[in-house]
Structures are given as C-alpha cells and as structure tokens.
Amino acid sequence: MSEQNFTVVVGSRNPVKVRAVAKALAMYYPDAEIDCQGIDAPSQVPEQPITTQQTRDGAVNRLRYCQQHQAADFYAAIEGGVDMFEDGPATFAYVAIARGEHLSVGRGANMPLPPSVYQALEQGEELGPLMDKLFNTKNIKQKGGAIGLLTNGLATREDNYVHALILALVQFAHKELFAL
C-alpha cells in the first residue's frame, strides 16, 4: 500500500460517519487519495446504546464485521450512545479504527442531555428521532445531530467524530511510540 492511495471501509452508510472518517484520515495523510466507503454493519447492541460499554461494543462490533466482510487498508466504525454520569446524562460517541491487526479505540466528548430526553431514551426511544420530534427537524442524525441542535449549531455530530478519530489515529501516526 502506498501512503498516497488507500481504501477505507466504514461500518455505516450514514454520510456523517463516512465523511468524518474521510476527513480525519485526510488530515493525517493530506497527499493521499482516500477511497472511503460505508457499508451496513451490525452493531450487535441496542439501536440506542444507553451505557458506555454498549456504545464501545457497538463501534468495535461494527469494525470487526467490516474486517470480516471487506478488504481495505483501514477499517473504521462509530457508535453514538448515552449514559448517566456523575454530572448527569450525556451523549457521546466511541470510534474504532484499525489498520492491519492493530485496533485503536477512542471516545468523543460528552454533551449534556436534558433529563427528560434521557428518560425517553431509557424508555426505548432513539436520540435522533427524539430530537427530530423536539426540534421539528427531519433525519437530524444524518446531519448535525443532537449536538448541532443543542449547541445552536456551534458544534456538530461530525465535528465530535472527527476530533475523536484524530485522537484515535495518534497510534498510527506514531507507531514507534506504541510498538506497532
């Protein structure tokens, strides 16, 4: 594989997730030609993960599925979830990226959620459709996400994913420090 050309399989067809992976890799490999494709990959966790562990497992499960079903230079997956923390409920995302046999897992920032939203999630609702109802939007999860709505557009779901991926890619950028 040339550093100038590589393929990436993302464990989702959500354009926000595919774009985030492509953007993060393009930052580390600005001269590379990156072919980044999303596929349907099962998370094997609930549609709306409501614990940190479920969310991490979902990202890793999606990535492993990609590895088993596609040939690529990089594999990536992103899983958004919610949990109750010491300071209240929050939404966040886990990212998983692999090159060869090496897997790096990272996490995005927590964004506080209103208690009423968290209660609805605990009752089985999913964050994207719930936000669509609250803010009268359509398919926000493939756009700015709850983060975009609740920050009044100051941050987006994609921003959070890109940042988490940039941090997870540190292990590949400095292989010698991580004994890869």
Side-chain angles (χ1 to χ4, degrees), residues 1 3 6 24-30 74 97-99 102-104 165-180:
M1 175 191 83
E3 290 290 304
F6 53 85
L25 284 166
M27 290 180 190
Y28 273 103
Y29 304 99
F74 279 97
I97 191 154
R99 188 173 192 182
H102 185 74
L103 170 68
S104 180
L165 286 157
I166 288 169
L167 299 180
L169 283 162
V170 163
Q171 293 185 37
F172 301 103
H174 297 280
K175 292 181 248 184
E176 70 286 356
L177 298 175
F178 292 90
L180 301 184

Side-chain angles (χ1 to χ4, degrees), residues 17-93:
K17 294 179 179 183
V18 175
R19 260 193 327 269
V21 171
K23 282 182 180 181
L25 284 166
M27 290 180 190
Y28 273 103
Y29 304 99
D31 298 326
E33 194 172 304
I34 301 167
D35 177 16
C36 193
Q37 301 294 320
I39 66 167
D40 292 321
S43 68
Q44 300 173 352
V45 300
E47 190 70 27
Q48 177 60 70
I50 59 166
T51 68
T52 300
Q53 190 64 55
Q54 282 181 355
T55 308
R56 185 188 188 285
D57 289 348
V60 172
N61 291 343
R62 288 179 192 274
L63 182 136
R64 295 295 186 211
Y65 179 90
C66 293
Q67 288 177 313
Q68 293 165 5
H69 292 88
Q70 299 280 326
D73 300 307
F74 279 97
Y75 299 91
I78 302 168
E79 189 75 27
V82 299
D83 206 342
M84 178 60 76
F85 296 93
E86 182 179 349
D87 297 310
T91 184
F92 55 90

Side-chain angles (χ1 to χ4, degrees), residues 113-153:
L113 285 176
S116 62
V117 169
Y118 183 71
Q119 289 164 0
L121 297 172
E122 285 186 306
Q123 298 303 314
E125 292 199 48
E126 189 183 342
L127 187 58
L130 183 57
M131 289 289 110
D132 283 337
K133 279 193 274 187
L134 285 173
F135 285 87
N136 198 28
T137 54
K138 186 174 185 219
N139 201 16
I140 197 65
K141 74 184 213 175
Q142 291 196 358
K143 299 172 187 160
I147 293 172
L149 292 173
L150 291 171
T151 64
N152 298 326

